[in-house]
Each structure stands twice: as C-alpha cells, then as structure tokens.
Amino acid sequence: MTTPATRDGGRNVLRRSLEGHRSAYLVGIGGTGMCGAAELLAARGLSVAGSDRAASPRTARLERLGVRVDTGEELASLPPATTLVVASAAVAPDHPQLVEAARRGLAIWKYAECLGALMEGRVGICVAGCHGKTTTSSIVATTLWRAGLDPTFVIGGDVKDLASSARPGRGAHFVAEACEFDRSFHRLRPEIALVTNLDADHLDYYRDMDEIRESFRDFARLLPERGVLVVHEDAAAVFRGDPLLRARIETYGIGPDVDWRAVNAAWDPADERFRWTLVRRGVPVGELTSPLSGRHNVLNATGAAAALFAAGLAFETIAEGVAAFGGVGRRMECIADRRGVLVLDDYGHHPTEISAVIRAIRGRWPARRVVAVFQPHQASRTRALLDEFGTALAEADAVWLAPIYHARDSEEEKRRTTSVDVALRVERYGGSAQVFQGLDAIVSYAAANVCAGDIVVTMGAGDVDRVARGLADRLR
C-alpha cells in the first residue's frame, strides 16, 4: 500500500502519518524505544504485534498489555492484516520479515519515523545530545506528569518514577529522547528542543565532528518559528547565526552570559542532594535541588528546567519535579550496598560519560576506592577513541575489563581491536587494568577481591549490568 507521507513546509523533511493504518508489526519490539512505540500504537487503537530474538521483561510487559510477541531467530511470516511494519535500527535490511513486508508491498518505517508520526498533533519536546539525554528527557517527562499535565513520552531508559520507558498520555505534550544515530532525530516533530552537548560519537556512521554538527543543525531547523531551542553553552556556537534556524535560542550552563545559569552548585551531604541557584538572564529565580550525583546532572536538570519554562510551567512546579525525580535505570543506579561494598550500574559507554560518572562518585564518596568494571561497546568506537578511553578509565583506582560487546561491527573491526588495547591505554595514562575472558569471570574475581569501603561501578551499553547483579548476589 502507499505510505501516507507529507513534506514539512517544503523543507524536504518526510512526515509519516498513521492515517489509514490499523495493524502494525514491530520487528525488534523488545528494544527500549520499540517497546514504547508498541505501547503507544496500541493506545492509539491499532492492532499491534511484533518479534524479537528472545523473550525479556519488556516483551513480557507488552504481552500483559495484549501485544503478541513472536520470539526466535528465523521468523519470516507476518500477520495477514498487517499494513505497517516498523523496524528497529538494529534490524538488518535483509531480515526475513522485512523481506516479506517488501514482497507484500507493505509500508516499512524506521522506528524514528513511527515516533515522528506518533507526535503528530502534540507539543513535541525532543531532547538531543551525545550524552545526558535519557536523564534530561526523564526529568522533563516526570515533571510534566507530577504537574498533572498527563504527557506522552518515549525514553531510552526505564524511568523509575513511572516504572516504564514509555507512557501514552492524554495531555498536549509528547516528550521524546532524540537520538542522532542514523540521523533518527530528523524524523521527529519538535516544538521545543534541548541539546545537551555535541561530541565525537557514532563515528561508524558520521564521518567526523563537522558532519555531526551539521546533523544537529538539521535537527534544530525542524523547529517552527514559534519554537525554542535550549542548548548548552558549549554547543551554542553551532547554531548561532544559522540562517535556516527559525526558532529562538536559549542557552544554559555555568558561564556568566548564558540565559539559564546554575550558580553555587554544591552537594549537601546531610540531605544527600545537590543544591544550586537558578539564575535567568542575571536575575535569581530560586533554588533547585536534585538527589542525582554529579555536576553533569546539575546541568541536565538546569537544561530540563529551561525546557519546562518554555513549555509554560511555573518555577515552583519545576522545582518540585526536579527535587522529586527518582532517576533512570542504569544511570548510576544503586544495585546493592552490602558488607560495606556499594555496587552501582551505569549505561556510560563513551569516554566523556565514563569520566563524568567516576568524578560524580569521587565527589560524593571522596575517601572510597573506585573499581570500574567496563565493557567496551563496539570495536569501531573503541578503536576510534582508545586514548580517550584510557584517560577516562585511569581516573578509577582499578579497572576490570570485559570483552568488547560487538554491535554493527564488521569481522575486520572485531579483529583489529580488543579489550587488551584498552587496558594498555589505561596503564599508559597511569591507571591499573585487568582483562577478563567473560562477565562470569569478573563476578567471581570481584566477589573474592572486593573489600569493605569499595565502590564497584559497572559501565557499558551491553549486558555488563549482569556483573553488578551477580556481585550483589554473591555479597548476600
């Protein structure tokens, strides 16, 4: 069938529409964003089913909601009534179900195209950036929810306050984490956009930083004239002076010339939270507090506050939401605190993220030994940023390295780089590193070698959280 689509104001941006679709099938439905999209499609009244390699807590949740999930490696058939097939970015184009969909002439969309279609008719608040977007978008979504505004959201992590990564709401706002990989965020429909930072990442897709900057400019150009672009001060120059940007720019950070400034941020050990003053264009607005560790999270919350002001919320409502925010799964998540050993888990898989997490731990627990258990994600990313990984991980007292978690890597890339290369870089920059053959080996070693007072933090975008949970079990 013909896929409903329009062009946005002649700007050569393809807009998908759900009009005419009654039955959707999602290939890779167990992914964080995909399971959220499935829930939202079902809430819109579509018949929804999907497939994934294996069952998981996310697919179990979908089945409880009435979404059928097929599991297995060799799936090929699609339900006869299907009109729309949505594919995760992780699904190869030659997947048998996509081949079958093409043979039948069905509409085949990428996940981001589906997300953009779901945004139609809502006030899109899209949070982009190479780091921090999951936490920042979660603060925005939960604050709107606490304010009684019933937002819809789709976020790349499990929001603890709402026990989900997605929620279909009836309110005007649609909050989405806007990913730059594959230029996915170009398919969204923002009215308010927030850019936390720009960094060298996804270099298996982007040529260099110039191409990354241009991609973010294209994202910002999606904003209408009435829109607002909230951007961290370090990235503001990328957007200033762009003749194709229609929205106004508002900056945030700690510098004296930003529109939204975080002043005198300090950790309060008695209340176990950060406190700082929010200043708008030189005028103090009030105090913000957050239970999240790390100065990077002070900035995330400040950016979220600026976006929420643009959405029309009062300061008191924003302050209450920021203060009450309960965090996101796999973002400095406390897994256990047993026998004097604190076990944390974090999704950080880029050197900038690793450094921010280690410094946050040092800032909150300055006297304790920090053990970083790191699982590199992608051989191509690891090779491109070896020196940066070395310097970031060397900030820990000890580094225990798992094998690389391969995603989208060619066989050549897998051969060219291993975790041994990371260990050598860590030691070059003054750190101490050990390489293990698997996650189970790290659990066994950790259980035998951690001491009271240690903080063990697992980091990576793969399945390294198994180490945190395995160690927690061994510490009982």
Side-chain angles (χ1 to χ4, degrees):
M1 65 176 288
T2 302
T3 302
T6 60
R7 298 281 171 178
D8 178 29
R11 296 175 60 78
N12 201 35
V13 178
L14 187 66
R15 299 297 199 194
R16 300 293 193 186
S17 173
L18 289 170
E19 183 181 352
H21 289 297
R22 295 292 178 265
S23 179
Y25 194 92
L26 282 69
V27 184
I29 199 169
T32 306
M34 288 286 283
C35 70
E39 186 171 344
L40 268 54
L41 288 167
R44 290 283 186 94
L46 277 74
S47 173
V48 181
S51 65
D52 215 299
R53 292 180 179 176
S56 68
R58 291 196 182 101
T59 60
R61 170 183 167 81
L62 289 173
E63 289 183 320
R64 288 194 298 271
L65 294 172
V67 175
R68 193 191 86 215
V69 179
D70 304 319
T71 56
E73 294 282 352
E74 302 298 328
L75 299 171
S77 62
L78 295 167
T82 301
T83 62
L84 170 63
V85 175
V86 181
S88 160
V91 174
D94 61 354
H95 188 286
Q97 289 180 315
L98 297 188
V99 173
E100 170 65 9
R103 187 191 67 78
R104 287 168 52 180
L106 304 180
I108 303 174
W109 295 358
K110 293 185 177 182
Y111 158 72
E113 292 176 308
C114 181
L115 194 58
L118 285 163
M119 275 188 171
E120 185 177 9
R122 304 293 183 92
V123 178
I125 304 177
C126 299
V127 180
C130 295
H131 321 294
K133 52 184 175 284
T134 299
T135 297
T136 306
S137 55
S138 298
I139 295 172
V140 172
T142 57
T143 301
L144 290 166
W145 171 71
R146 290 182 186 280
L149 295 174
D150 198 17
T152 296
F153 70 83
V154 180
I155 291 168
D158 293 321
V159 183
K160 292 188 175 181
D161 294 341
L162 301 174
S164 179
S165 63
R167 179 179 182 276
R170 297 183 179 180
H173 302 93
F174 192 123
V175 182
E177 183 174 336
C179 181
E180 71 276 12
F181 176 71
D182 194 32
R183 293 178 169 81
S184 295
F185 56 178
H186 294 177
R187 281 90 171 181
L188 304 183
R189 306 186 185 189
E191 290 197 21
I192 299 168
L194 194 160
V195 176
T196 58
N197 46 60
L198 278 71
D199 207 343
D201 199 7
H202 298 302
L203 295 176
D204 59 326
Y205 178 78
Y206 289 108
R207 180 183 64 251
D208 52 24
M209 276 301 301
D210 285 341
E211 192 170 30
I212 291 171
R213 293 185 190 100
E214 187 59 27
S215 185
F216 273 85
R217 276 192 288 268
D218 285 340
F219 166 68
R221 291 163 183 164
L222 298 174
L223 289 160
E225 190 171 356
R226 65 181 179 277
V228 181
L229 174 64
V230 177
V231 58
H232 186 271
E233 58 186 322
D234 290 348
V238 172
F239 305 97
R240 285 198 179 107
D242 181 358
L244 299 179
L245 178 62
R246 298 174 289 176
R248 76 174 188 272
I249 298 176
E250 296 197 0
T251 57
Y252 73 96
I254 60 173
D257 299 323
V258 296
D259 296 306
W260 299 92
R261 186 183 183 196
V263 177
N264 297 328
W267 180 257
D268 182 343
D271 285 344
E272 293 196 320
R273 59 182 48 241
F274 262 103
R275 298 183 181 276
W276 69 101
T277 300
L278 182 65
V279 176
R280 184 183 190 187
R281 296 174 188 146
V283 179
V285 179
E287 183 185 67
L288 290 176
T289 73
S290 170
L292 302 184
S293 302
R295 292 185 177 272
H296 63 293
N297 278 321
V298 170
L299 290 172
N300 289 337
T302 299
L308 288 162
F309 266 100
L313 272 66
F315 173 75
E316 292 75 15
T317 302
I318 296 169
E320 290 173 5
V322 172
F325 179 61
V328 186
R330 301 217 61 213
R331 272 67 179 180
M332 283 193 68
E333 181 180 7
C334 180
I335 303 302
D337 192 351
R338 297 173 186 151
R339 291 164 44 183
V341 178
L342 178 60
V343 182
L344 306 174
D345 178 52
D346 194 87
Y347 190 74
H349 54 285
H350 184 281
T352 300
E353 297 161 352
I354 293 167
S355 181
V357 168
I358 294 173
R359 292 179 185 184
I361 294 171
R362 295 252 189 242
R364 185 167 176 178
W365 298 282
R368 300 179 69 168
R369 184 175 83 127
V370 179
V371 178
V373 179
F374 180 54
Q375 180 187 51
H377 188 264
Q378 285 191 293
S380 57
R381 176 188 282 118
T382 305
R383 181 173 57 82
L385 300 172
L386 264 178
D387 283 316
E388 291 84 352
F389 278 118
T391 55
L393 288 164
E395 296 182 43
D397 296 298
V399 180
W400 300 340
L401 290 160
I404 293 174
Y405 186 96
H406 294 294
R408 305 191 303 270
D409 286 318
S410 66
E411 291 302 318
E412 180 183 358
E413 285 286 4
K414 292 176 183 179
R415 289 191 296 270
R416 291 179 68 180
T417 310
T418 72
S419 291
V420 172
D421 299 302
V422 180
L424 292 173
R425 288 303 200 284
V426 172
E427 292 174 350
R428 175 185 294 181
Y429 292 107
S432 172
Q434 294 174 256
V435 179
F436 294 81
Q437 294 303 308
L439 300 181
D440 291 341
I442 300 178
V443 172
S444 297
Y445 183 84
N449 289 277
V450 294
C451 302
D454 285 352
I455 297 175
V456 178
V457 55
T458 56
M459 290 187 282
D463 56 354
V464 70
D465 58 308
R466 286 173 42 201
V467 173
R469 301 181 195 284
L471 176 59
D473 288 340
R474 299 281 287 270
L475 291 173
R476 289 185 187 277

